[in-house]
Amino acid sequence: MKHHFENHDLITEQTSQLIDLTDDVRAAVDRARIENGMALVYSPHTTCAIVINERESGFSADFAELLAEIAPAEGHYYRHDDLDIRSEGIEEDTADFPNGHSHIRAGLLASSSQAVPILEGTLMLGTWQRIFLCELDRSRPRKVFIQVIGE
């Protein structure tokens, strides 16, 4: 069995941003020279998700709107943002950038990774399916790991 690993660094622009990674994953599969196996796309960030869906502006806007309704960035009390009671995972800028909403959104999506089969050197995505990194916090430097395994 062969193994190929890539780290992709990027900077997101805003919350609910969907960054299409599909071409990057296809290129990694090509570089891996694996005919049959699996491509794993993983985000090592608590407030990001890897999602598979359609690249269509209506969907992107609807998705961002739904996330804002379910876990609004403002106007809702999150214990995660209350530094009078929070005692874990505090960084220098935690008070400046409350992100309880982004952790709730990530927990609901629960998708830090997606695995896509590879058959005859081709990602087995549906006609309209694309692989996205979804930013659930603010503009930040992010990493995406792509691991391709197989024969």
Side-chain angles (χ1 to χ4, degrees), residues 59-87:
F59 162 72
S60 298
D62 292 343
F63 190 63
E65 186 177 291
L66 180 65
L67 290 174
E69 287 175 20
I70 291 172
E74 297 176 6
H76 185 84
Y77 174 75
Y78 296 102
R79 287 168 191 81
H80 180 79
D81 297 337
D82 187 341
L83 297 182
D84 289 333
I85 63 171
R86 182 175 169 189
S87 61

Side-chain angles (χ1 to χ4, degrees), residues 49-112:
I50 303 295
V51 296
I52 296 178
N53 214 301
E54 183 175 357
R55 182 177 58 195
E56 190 274 322
S57 59
F59 162 72
S60 298
D62 292 343
F63 190 63
E65 186 177 291
L66 180 65
L67 290 174
E69 287 175 20
I70 291 172
E74 297 176 6
H76 185 84
Y77 174 75
Y78 296 102
R79 287 168 191 81
H80 180 79
D81 297 337
D82 187 341
L83 297 182
D84 289 333
I85 63 171
R86 182 175 169 189
S87 61
E88 302 162 304
I90 298 173
E91 297 178 337
E92 268 186 46
D93 65 354
T94 297
D96 298 328
F97 300 103
N99 66 352
H101 67 285
S102 58
H103 286 276
I104 297 297
R105 293 173 184 184
L108 290 170
L109 292 174
S111 57
S112 60

Side-chain angles (χ1 to χ4, degrees), residues 93-149:
D93 65 354
T94 297
D96 298 328
F97 300 103
N99 66 352
H101 67 285
S102 58
H103 286 276
I104 297 297
R105 293 173 184 184
L108 290 170
L109 292 174
S111 57
S112 60
S113 67
Q114 295 287 332
V116 181
I118 301 166
L119 184 63
E120 297 177 0
T122 302
L123 280 176
M124 299 304 294
L125 290 170
T127 302
W128 302 109
Q129 286 184 321
R130 306 288 291 185
I131 305 165
F132 296 97
L133 171 76
C134 181
E135 175 59 72
L136 298 166
D137 201 351
R138 64 187 191 277
S139 173
R140 299 184 78 155
R142 298 298 196 180
K143 292 183 176 297
V144 173
F145 301 144
I146 301 170
Q147 184 175 42
V148 185
I149 58 173

